[in-house]
Amino acid sequence: WDETHFGKMGSYYINRTFFFDVHPPLGKMLIGLAGYLSGYDGTFPFQKPGDRYEQHNYVGMRGFCAFLGSCLVPFAYLTVLELSKSLPAALLTAFILIFDTGCITLSQYILLDPILMFFLMGAVLSMVKCNSCADRPFSASWWLWLSLTGINLAGATGVKFVGLFVVLLVGLNTIYDLWELLGDLSLSLVMFGKHLLARVLCLILLPLALYTAMFAVHFAVLNKSGPGDGFFSSAFQSQLIGNNLHNVSVPE
């Protein structure tokens, strides 16, 4: 049922047809992009669950989700290895995920879930890696992992609002880090200020900029009239090609 739902939205992006959905746009845009790059033309109707794809090239969209789902295994392995420094623990974690029926099932269809989990686990891995660089702040690796944490936060929230939970996790971790730094008497207030600004830049401003950019792309791509028109104002509808109000002068 969900594949019918999100596959149709991928088609909307390929056809540039405006629609409305409760979830932010990133996951559906990526599905549409994967379909477009793999040769899917956006013509499958997605009318009801179980319809055969026949000659329609759906493999790229499923393959993209499966690839992101498969990335969860090395993400989990690296996260546990970093936290525990135990190779057996990391291998056990990886094997548990490899043979997890739920993970395999969610990753083989055109769904938002593998994309969401990719960014969620990517954010946790980046956070853990950044914590491991605490002894060499402002180094290239420290900036890299801090920036990747922010990028993954934007990705997780941009797929589903459930991603806000990983924002909370990273936020609590950051507050703890800053509290520890503030209590370090060998650290000057100027240096503490630099730490604070670095986190504001990478974990607040960068994710906000990326999240806003997703919607900018969303509205730029979907420029044709579609099933989502009625949720928006007449002035907005007048910008959509094919709408009854297209290019009509709409008074304030």
Side-chain angles (χ1 to χ4, degrees):
W1 186 89
D2 260 11
E3 185 171 78
T4 304
H5 191 61
F6 296 117
K8 182 186 291 183
M9 291 177 182
S11 296
Y12 284 149
Y13 278 107
I14 292 172
N15 297 318
R16 308 193 70 170
T17 305
F18 190 78
F19 70 96
F20 177 79
D21 184 51
V22 295
H23 302 300
L26 180 61
K28 293 156 297 190
M29 281 200 292
L30 291 175
I31 288 169
L33 180 63
Y36 176 77
L37 293 177
S38 60
Y40 171 61
D41 57 6
T43 56
F44 185 71
F46 286 102
Q47 288 179 336
K48 64 180 189 296
D51 284 349
R52 292 187 178 276
Y53 285 104
E54 303 296 348
Q55 78 280 3
H56 295 278
N57 188 0
Y58 65 94
V59 177
M61 292 184 286
R62 278 191 179 174
F64 170 70
C65 292
F67 170 73
L68 293 190
S70 68
C71 289
L72 304 182
V73 176
F75 281 8
Y77 170 84
L78 292 169
T79 302
V80 173
L81 186 64
E82 191 65 52
L83 288 171
S84 67
K85 307 298 183 188
S86 166
L87 184 63
L91 286 171
L92 176 62
T93 306
F95 276 111
I96 287 171
L97 262 187
I98 286 171
F99 296 107
D100 183 76
T101 310
C103 191
I104 294 168
T105 306
L106 280 176
S107 300
Q108 67 177 334
Y109 296 111
I110 305 167
L111 304 175
L112 296 185
D113 302 84
I115 308 173
L116 173 67
M117 290 191 293
F118 173 85
F119 286 116
L120 287 173
M121 293 187 68
V124 173
L125 173 60
S126 302
M127 180 189 75
V128 167
K129 284 284 190 182
C130 186
N131 288 345
S132 71
C133 298
D135 57 338
R136 48 187 191 281
F138 307 109
S139 62
S141 57
W142 186 86
W143 278 112
L144 172 67
W145 290 115
L146 190 64
S147 301
L148 281 176
T149 304
I151 291 167
N152 282 309
L153 290 182
T157 314
V159 175
K160 279 187 176 182
F161 288 126
V162 178
L164 288 169
F165 283 105
V166 81
V167 175
L168 178 64
L169 173 68
V170 172
L172 291 172
N173 178 76
T174 305
I175 291 168
Y176 176 79
D177 278 350
L178 290 171
W179 183 252
E180 290 285 308
L181 290 168
L182 189 61
D184 185 355
L185 298 179
S186 65
L187 201 69
S188 69
L189 279 177
V190 173
M191 188 56 69
F192 175 78
K194 289 180 179 179
H195 275 280
L196 179 62
L197 283 174
R199 285 158 174 81
V200 169
L201 177 67
C202 293
L203 301 180
I204 297 177
L205 297 181
L206 178 61
L208 281 175
L210 291 174
Y211 186 77
T212 308
M214 292 170 203
F215 280 92
V217 174
H218 170 79
F219 287 115
V221 171
L222 303 180
N223 63 352
K224 296 180 181 177
S225 180
D229 295 11
F231 290 95
F232 289 81
S233 67
S234 300
F236 180 85
Q237 291 183 47
S238 69
Q239 306 299 311
L240 297 172
I241 299 168
N243 190 283
N244 292 332
L245 299 173
H246 182 54
N247 281 341
V248 173
S249 177
V250 181
E252 290 293 332

